[in-house]
Amino acid sequence: MSLPAHYQNSIDRLSRQLPSLLGENLYSCVLYGSAVRGHIVDKVSDINILIVLNQSTPDAHTAIADCLEDKIHIDPFVIARNGMERSFDVFAIKFRSIKRNYKILAGEDPIKDFSVTDERVQFLAEQALRNLRLRSVNTYIHQRTNIARYTRFLLNSYTALFTYVGEIMRLAHRDVPREYADRIPLIHDYFNIDTAILNTLESIQDNPDQVTAKTIPQIHHDLFLFLNGIVCWMEETW
């Protein structure tokens, strides 16, 4: 799937400028997320990049900041090569997700040998979904009248929710489709849970303007019940 021209132009610019600005300190630059999966939503989606530095320093961070100034929001995940194994462990599900769909823009492949135990994935998935449930409550309480901020929370939660729920199903050796929309009926059947909120989040990705002061209470209701149902499933099953 081809990307919108301005997204592709930004990615091409990153591929040229990051090696030039960082020089030998750049170990690797990896494109991942919707730009690789083919889920780019024009004017909504970010460009996700993993940047691995030989030495993570303030000067390097300044160089990255200079490079990332763009009309399109670029979301960098910056780590140092030193201690990378610990980063793998702490962010194991993120790296597991990246490893399924990524493209090397510059340097070496930093995750070709990455692996993680099922026990670690289980712990991190439960931790993340409990945290998302907590944040859904806090965000609604504090931001229910701030439509822009609540919408941003929903947009940011979209990928995380599908990622962590997908990892739970993969632990049971279930085939998880690449397209998020195709996962929804499987999630419904696997967890025996109402998945209407997932269709809503899919729709919000395409049209964030549908989040209004009138729709936010129902969105919160459906999102909380879904997250609470997943957490209760984990408590009963694990």
Side-chain angles (χ1 to χ4, degrees), residues 95-125:
F95 280 108
R96 189 163 140 129
S97 177
I98 291 173
K99 190 170 183 178
R100 279 190 291 273
N101 299 284
Y102 70 100
K103 178 181 179 181
I104 304 297
L105 297 182
E108 303 297 323
D109 184 343
I111 56 176
K112 61 181 179 180
D113 298 322
F114 165 74
S115 63
V116 61
T117 66
D118 286 353
E119 291 76 15
R120 186 62 177 165
V121 172
Q122 181 174 307
F123 171 80
L124 292 172

Side-chain angles (χ1 to χ4, degrees), residues 139-153:
T139 303
Y140 177 71
I141 290 172
H142 292 295
Q143 307 295 346
R144 64 177 180 161
T145 60
N146 189 322
I147 296 171
R149 289 190 179 182
Y150 191 79
T151 301
R152 174 52 59 181
F153 164 74

Side-chain angles (χ1 to χ4, degrees), residues 22 25-30 32 49-57 60-61 64 76-91 94-95 98 110-111:
L22 294 169
N25 196 22
L26 179 64
Y27 177 71
S28 181
C29 179
V30 175
Y32 69 95
I49 55 170
L50 166 66
I51 300 172
V52 183
L53 300 169
N54 287 309
Q55 296 291 329
S56 188
T57 67
H61 307 157
I64 292 170
F77 179 24
V78 182
I79 63 173
R81 190 178 178 191
N82 180 37
M84 195 160 61
E85 292 299 324
R86 286 179 176 266
S87 293
F88 283 164
D89 186 52
V90 172
F91 302 109
K94 186 175 183 71
F95 280 108
I98 291 173
I111 56 176

Side-chain angles (χ1 to χ4, degrees), residues 181-206:
D182 294 337
R183 299 181 188 185
I184 295 175
L186 300 181
I187 293 171
H188 175 276
D189 294 342
Y190 186 78
F191 295 98
N192 190 27
I193 194 170
D194 186 347
T195 53
I197 186 60
L198 300 182
N199 291 305
T200 300
L201 292 176
E202 280 275 314
S203 179
I204 291 170
Q205 287 288 307
D206 294 329

